[in-house]
Amino acid sequence: MASEAETSSGVAGRYAKALFELALEEGALEHVAIDLNRFNEALDAFDDLTRLLKSPVFTAEEQGRALAAILEQLKIEGLTKNFLLLVAKNRRLFATPDMIRAFRAMLARHRGETSAMVTAAAKLTDGQITALKQALKAALGQEVMLEERVDPALLGGLVVKVGSRMVDTSLRTKLNSLKVAMKEVG
């Protein structure tokens, strides 16, 4: 089965691979992973940051200045900071979430883990994350690195994606299935 990093195409895959190789060379994989997680959490938390990354209205200089200030607030320094500022300078900030995803997949493969994305209606507790990791480890036979997302539209339950497989136990999906079944009956 192809890993997510191998299937990351184009710009995001190339940038993620370059960052991964530099971090590996400098022995900074864990530090970069922590910084990228912090940046990704900020992306999830602040819509304005997402707009800054995706909007073509801002010039590369404006994005760079704003990003530098944000990285300072998030206490992201060194290789990760330089990488993100280079991405801004090259007008590729729009691909940052895909770069982070590809980097995580490469890191998981390097560690001998499988990466999985879990989407829940609300932030999962540490106990829930631990239980989910244990269940996935039992099912897959290897350690799992989780990427968490929050989507209140799910209403409840989880959507777990591992590679090309997906398990959707969300309340939204169950209600949509019930709606379709009711239309067929009526």
Side-chain angles (χ1 to χ4, degrees):
M1 175 167 62
S3 72
E4 288 177 37
E6 291 166 346
T7 58
S8 289
S9 61
V11 171
R14 287 192 303 273
Y15 274 82
K17 184 176 181 186
L19 177 61
F20 182 83
E21 289 174 355
L22 277 172
L24 183 61
E25 188 177 296
E26 292 184 13
L29 279 175
E30 294 304 317
H31 185 72
V32 170
I34 290 167
D35 284 348
L36 287 177
N37 286 340
R38 196 174 317 128
F39 187 73
N40 203 49
E41 287 171 3
L43 275 175
D44 289 342
F46 301 106
D47 291 337
D48 288 342
L49 180 54
T50 303
R51 273 192 291 281
L52 173 71
L53 265 60
K54 294 186 177 187
S55 177
V57 173
F58 300 108
T59 66
E61 293 79 26
E62 290 170 333
Q63 284 180 325
R65 281 195 307 273
L67 186 61
I70 291 165
L71 295 175
E72 187 175 321
Q73 287 295 315
L74 294 174
K75 297 182 180 16
I76 294 175
E77 299 174 343
L79 182 58
T80 311
K81 178 181 179 180
N82 293 340
F83 171 77
L84 291 170
L85 291 174
L86 176 70
V87 170
K89 182 180 175 188
N90 292 344
R91 305 280 299 155
R92 300 291 185 259
L93 277 178
F94 64 89
T96 304
D98 292 332
M99 292 175 198
I100 293 171
R101 221 177 338 275
F103 180 89
R104 284 179 175 160
M106 288 178 213
L107 182 61
R109 189 175 67 234
H110 177 74
R111 291 175 173 166
E113 300 174 335
T114 298
S115 60
M117 182 184 294
V118 61
T119 307
K123 181 129 177 73
L124 297 175
T125 66
D126 290 340
Q128 291 170 323
I129 291 169
T130 302
L132 182 57
K133 281 184 176 183
Q134 289 172 347
L136 288 171
K137 181 180 179 180
L140 301 171
Q142 63 187 124
E143 292 293 325
V144 177
M145 177 193 289
L146 284 182
E147 177 181 345
E148 301 170 58
R149 295 271 183 226
V150 175
D151 181 2
L154 292 180
L155 303 175
L158 299 172
V159 177
V160 180
K161 294 179 186 175
V162 180
S164 62
R165 293 180 280 180
M166 180 173 83
V167 177
D168 186 344
T169 63
S170 67
L171 187 54
R172 176 180 63 190
T173 299
K174 290 179 181 180
L175 288 172
N176 285 339
S177 297
L178 183 61
K179 185 167 105 177
V180 169
M182 297 284 286
K183 285 183 180 178
E184 290 175 1
V185 172

